[in-house]
Amino acid sequence: MGLSIANNVASLNAQNNLTRANERLTTSVERLSSGLKINRGADGPAALVISEKQRAQIAGLEQSIQNAEKAVSLVQTAEGALSEINSLLVKVRSLAIDSANTGVNDSDALSANQAEINNALDTINRIANNTQFLTKKLLDGSAGVGGTPNDTDVSFLGATSKTSAGSYNVVVTTAAEKAHVSNGTAQTSNLAAAEELTVNGTVISLNAGLSQSQVIDRINEFSNQTGVIAEDNGGNTRLYSSNYGASATISVTSNIAAAADSSGFGTATLSDTGLDVAGTIDGVAASGSGSALTATSGAAQGLQLSFAGDPANATQTVTGAQGSVTVTDNSLTFQIGPNANQTAQISINRVNPSSLGVGVAGNQFANLDQIDVTTGAGSQDALAVIDAAIDDISNLRGDLGAFQQNTLSSTANNLRTTLENTVNAESVIRDTDFAAEIANFTQQQVLVQAGTSVLGNANQLPQLVLSLLG
């Protein structure tokens, strides 16, 4: 190529290479100063897409770990309250055992034990209703499987994790009955002589001259000991147990023959046994104990209901169709993964006394709330119910502990490992390798300096033409 002054190709070439070297130097400076080798899409489109997805996953993993840790705090709050309830139940059990020692305790001691038990049950009820995490209640049933009857004669006692959400029709085919007896001869006159009634093993002294209403009042003074209530039933004196079911019994005898001027019960022993409720839930036969009905199979399995007394008959519950119960699953759901539907659930069912120790077979008490230790028989039955309640609480604590350890803590540990590896993968794609980049920076810096010097020389080439003209 000859010498020319119109076009300095050598200068253009030097400018081109200098521009490229300068751009690479600028990029190198940006990478060194930001610590990232991918700062914009132009730095690596595919790498940018992959790393942005990884950044979203990293943020999700970090939040999921926090979610699991918060869930652990909630579960520990519930478990702590259950631990206190368990301690109260152990105390109640000790009182029931003391009351069962009827050879030593008198009526005052039994009443004192019952009063202390009632106080403990009130405390359990208060803990169940007030335990909460932030504003979310944990033990009143709002965090578990709940049920709402549409009939006021039906009460929801509880359900289990096996109970499916839905609406279930309830029918009582056989009403629960209390044990009951009536005097064979109506008392129409005041007692002609002093009389002794023996009701469920308790001797009740009746003074001469008592009217029928006064006899009834006298019998009811001993209701705490006998578990029996007296009433005027159309002129006859009727006695009935305070509880429903086949385990409720009544026995009464007098030392005076039946007559119009006596209590009318006579010297022959009158006895009766109650009857457990029978019925269906969702068209499937359920298991009855006292006035409580429990679904043992089908979609409603585990659903427990109780029934109110018949207003027209004090000795039995309502019967027939009792509307329906709507079951809702309010289990606590925790987002413990970085992606949609990566959740875990735990159900914390109601732990109020009326929902504990439900459905103990052959027991006069339908649940913990009904226990009465003022009689020997009541103390023995109360022990079985208390043991069932302790099992209920212990099993729930076990479920919460397993959920905390095996689901939440293990998941959090796995998430931390996943986070570590994901961050490492994102770092490989996006972070600056300072060792390599400093070498590149040095190279580009030298090229820019050399290019600048060469460009200066290239700009001097057209001046060689002047030497030819001279």
Side-chain angles (χ1 to χ4, degrees):
M1 177 181 175
L3 292 174
S4 65
I5 60 174
N7 295 291
N8 191 343
V9 176
S11 177
L12 291 175
N13 182 267
Q15 291 178 47
N16 183 31
N17 288 319
L18 178 60
T19 299
R20 291 181 180 180
N22 193 62
E23 288 176 350
R24 289 193 294 268
L25 179 62
T26 301
T27 299
S28 183
V29 169
E30 183 179 36
R31 289 175 176 175
L32 290 171
S33 61
S34 67
L36 300 173
K37 64 183 176 184
I38 305 295
N39 290 286
R40 59 181 61 84
D43 293 337
L48 177 73
V49 171
I50 295 171
S51 63
E52 286 297 335
K53 288 184 177 180
Q54 288 176 328
R55 281 188 171 185
Q57 196 75 355
I58 288 168
L61 287 167
E62 290 173 341
Q63 187 59 55
S64 296
I65 293 170
Q66 293 182 32
N67 288 356
E69 291 171 346
K70 291 177 183 177
V72 167
S73 297
L74 181 144
V75 169
Q76 288 177 335
T77 300
E79 207 274 332
L82 291 174
S83 177
E84 185 59 32
I85 290 177
N86 203 97
S87 297
L88 287 168
L89 288 175
V90 170
K91 176 62 176 177
V92 169
R93 190 177 191 278
S94 297
L95 292 168
I97 291 177
D98 179 64
S99 295
N101 190 25
T102 55
V104 173
N105 293 316
D106 57 16
S107 59
D108 290 338
L110 296 176
S111 297
N113 283 346
Q114 183 62 40
E116 190 170 351
I117 287 174
N118 290 340
N119 180 266
L121 296 183
D122 287 342
T123 302
I124 292 174
N125 197 55
R126 190 177 304 108
I127 292 173
N129 290 332
N130 296 338
T131 300
Q132 59 188 61
F133 186 80
L134 300 178
T135 59
K136 185 181 291 292
K137 292 187 181 249
L138 302 179
L139 303 179
D140 66 344
S142 58
V145 180
T148 305
N150 64 3
D151 191 316
T152 56
D153 290 329
V154 181
S155 297
F156 172 80
L157 295 180
T160 68
S161 58
K162 296 181 180 179
T163 311
S164 302
S167 182
Y168 303 106
N169 292 326
V170 180
V171 178
V172 175
T173 54
T174 303
E177 287 188 0
K178 299 179 177 181
H180 61 281
V181 296
S182 295
N183 55 359
T185 302
Q187 179 186 349
T188 57
S189 303
N190 294 350
L191 297 184
E195 184 175 345
E196 287 187 348
L197 278 181
T198 303
V199 180
N200 283 352
T202 299
V203 178
I204 302 174
S205 299
L206 305 176
N207 295 329
L210 295 181
S211 65
Q212 182 196 21
S213 63
Q214 290 173 321
V215 168
I216 290 173
D217 291 341
R218 178 62 175 166
I219 294 173
N220 286 335
E221 290 178 14
F222 292 82
S223 291
N224 285 339
Q225 299 177 46
T226 62
V228 170
I229 300 170
E231 68 171 2
D232 184 349
N233 184 35
N236 288 93
T237 301
R238 178 167 67 177
L239 307 183
Y240 58 87
S241 60
S242 56
N243 297 303
Y244 295 96
S247 61
T249 59
I250 188 170
S251 172
V252 57
T253 185
S254 173
N255 65 338
I256 300 293
D261 57 0
S262 74
S263 67
F265 287 99
T267 55
T269 300
L270 301 177
S271 62
D272 189 40
T273 301
L275 189 64
D276 291 326
V277 67
T280 62
I281 298 177
D282 196 32
V284 180
S287 174
S289 177
S291 61
L293 201 60
T294 303
T296 56
S297 61
Q301 182 177 357
L303 177 60
Q304 298 174 326
L305 308 171
S306 67
F307 303 94
D310 186 346
N313 190 340
T315 65
Q316 68 178 40
T317 62
V318 293
T319 187
Q322 300 299 317
S324 63
V325 176
T326 300
V327 175
T328 54
D329 188 352
N330 301 315
S331 299
L332 299 173
T333 301
F334 305 103
Q335 177 71 33
I336 56 172
N339 302 312
N341 299 319
Q342 293 181 340
T343 60
Q345 284 188 325
I346 184 69
S347 176
I348 307 177
N349 289 330
R350 190 169 179 258
V351 295
N352 297 78
S354 60
S355 298
L356 297 175
V358 176
V360 177
N363 200 290
Q364 62 178 300
F365 304 120
N367 53 62
L368 182 67
D369 198 41
Q370 294 183 4
I371 61 171
D372 189 321
V373 298
T374 54
T375 65
S379 298
Q380 299 297 336
D381 281 349
L383 281 171
V385 173
I386 295 166
D387 286 341
I390 291 174
D391 286 343
D392 291 340
I393 296 298
S394 299
N395 290 337
L396 180 53
R397 290 181 67 187
D399 291 341
L400 290 175
F403 183 75
Q404 176 184 334
Q405 180 64 31
N406 300 331
T407 300
L408 297 178
S409 296
S410 295
T411 298
N413 291 335
N414 180 62
L415 289 173
R416 291 185 185 98
T417 301
T418 304
L419 175 62
E420 178 184 346
N421 293 325
T422 305
V423 169
N424 181 63
E426 195 263 348
S427 175
V428 170
I429 294 174
R430 201 145 185 169
D431 288 357
T432 297
D433 181 347
F434 274 79
E437 196 58 48
I438 288 175
N440 181 57
F441 171 77
T442 303
Q443 179 188 26
Q444 301 308 320
Q445 193 176 41
V446 170
L447 287 174
V448 168
Q449 292 173 354
T452 302
S453 176
V454 170
L455 178 59
N457 293 331
N459 289 336
Q460 299 297 320
L461 288 178
Q463 295 183 8
L464 295 176
V465 175
L466 294 178
S467 65
L468 296 177
L469 294 176

